[in-house]
Amino acid sequence: MGRGRVELKRIENKINRQVTFAKRRNGLLKKAYELSVLCDAEVALIIFSNRGKLYEFCSSSSMLKTLERYQKCNYGAPETNVSTREALELSSQQEYLKLKARYEALQRSQRNLLGEDLGPLSTKELESLERQLDVSLKQIRSTRTQYMLDQLTDLQRKEHMLNEANKTLKQRLLEGTQVNQLQWNPNGQDVGYGRQPSQHGDAFFHPLDCEPTLQIGYQQDPITVAAAAGPSVNAYMPGWLP
């Protein structure tokens, strides 16, 4: 039983696409080499990958000579009145047309990614475009999330630095307050305002408010003497001493 027919279309899986490219590229280079050896043919093979990497094979000594031979056969032998400059201009014009076609294809692809000119696309092309947009959206969200996490980490680091600086300032302020207190009260004594210093003997010395002289033969009124002299310390009425 033979193998089924393989449908030729673009491989969507990136890894499978790269593996298939490597296998078929090597097989194509091998077939070109075998063709040149078995049939004594001049073979030139040029392959560009989707990333722009060049792979080539040439059975002759120079790829440039083979390309010149191809150009002569493709555009015919130059007439005697056609100069080399005109041949270069023709080649440049063809290269310009190729680049223009590629530019238009890229513009069309960009419009499709923006949601424009979707009418001519088939169902498979629309599905492929949708998958491309999903992958791009995932990458954008992942990049945005990583950027926000980096910003959050930076803010947390700044917050930690500010807290440390705040603690340092509090410590310095407390030390400065203690130094000011020591400067105002170097001996460390708590002297109350409005308090009179105590004198030795205050508890034992009480001056007596009485007449210093004796009045012989005359007795004053005790009430008058008490009112004039004020309260007595020992609570006795002034009078004759025994």
Side-chain angles (χ1 to χ4, degrees):
M1 184 174 178
R3 296 172 56 187
R5 185 177 179 181
V6 179
E7 183 181 1
L8 292 179
K9 64 177 183 179
R10 183 177 183 272
I11 301 175
E12 300 298 336
N13 191 312
K14 184 177 180 181
I15 297 177
N16 294 339
R17 187 168 63 246
Q18 291 178 353
V19 172
T20 303
F21 172 76
K23 289 182 178 180
R24 302 223 171 189
R25 178 200 64 203
N26 295 334
L28 188 58
L29 292 173
K30 181 180 179 182
K31 291 295 183 182
Y33 170 74
E34 292 176 353
L35 180 63
S36 65
V37 173
L38 295 175
C39 302
D40 194 16
E42 185 177 356
V43 181
L45 176 62
I46 299 175
I47 302 175
F48 286 99
S49 66
N50 58 350
R51 296 183 179 179
K53 189 174 182 180
L54 172 64
Y55 301 92
E56 62 179 357
F57 168 79
C58 183
S59 60
S60 64
S61 59
S62 175
M63 175 69 76
L64 183 60
K65 292 181 180 180
T66 305
L67 292 177
E68 289 177 354
R69 183 179 178 183
Y70 163 76
Q71 188 175 6
K72 290 178 181 180
C73 295
N74 191 23
Y75 301 110
E79 299 179 358
T80 55
N81 56 354
V82 178
S83 62
T84 308
R85 181 178 180 182
E86 293 177 353
L88 291 176
E89 288 179 356
L90 181 61
S91 177
S92 299
Q93 185 177 2
Q94 292 179 352
E95 186 69 22
Y96 165 74
L97 294 176
K98 292 180 181 179
L99 292 175
K100 183 179 179 181
R102 186 175 181 181
Y103 172 74
E104 291 176 353
L106 290 175
Q107 276 192 333
R108 184 169 56 254
S109 176
Q110 184 179 6
R111 288 194 300 269
N112 293 337
L113 290 174
L114 294 176
E116 302 174 358
D117 299 340
L118 300 178
L121 299 180
S122 62
T123 305
K124 293 183 179 180
E125 290 175 344
L126 290 175
E127 291 177 356
S128 176
L129 181 62
E130 184 179 3
R131 285 191 292 268
Q132 291 179 8
L133 291 175
D134 289 338
V135 172
S136 300
L137 185 59
K138 289 180 181 179
Q139 292 179 354
I140 292 172
R141 288 176 177 174
S142 176
T143 304
R144 184 188 64 179
T145 303
Q146 185 63 35
Y147 177 73
M148 295 176 66
L149 290 176
D150 293 341
Q151 280 190 331
L152 180 61
T153 304
D154 189 31
L155 290 176
Q156 290 177 349
R157 181 179 58 81
K158 290 181 179 180
E159 181 184 7
H160 179 70
M161 293 174 61
L162 290 175
N163 289 334
E164 293 296 330
N166 192 14
K167 291 180 181 180
T168 304
L169 290 176
K170 282 184 178 181
Q171 185 67 24
R172 291 181 180 179
L173 182 60
L174 182 61
E175 293 175 356
T177 304
Q178 294 177 355
V179 170
N180 291 335
Q181 290 179 355
L182 291 176
Q183 290 179 353
W184 282 100
N185 189 10
N187 296 327
Q189 296 178 357
D190 185 11
V191 179
Y193 292 98
R195 296 176 59 184
Q196 297 294 334
S198 60
Q199 296 180 1
H200 298 288
D202 288 346
F204 303 99
F205 177 74
H206 299 281
L208 297 176
D209 295 334
C210 60
E211 291 292 335
T213 58
L214 295 176
Q215 297 181 0
I216 301 174
Y218 179 77
Q219 182 71 29
Q220 293 183 349
D221 188 4
I223 298 175
T224 304
V225 174
S232 177
V233 177
N234 51 12
Y236 288 106
M237 298 297 293
W240 292 97
L241 295 177

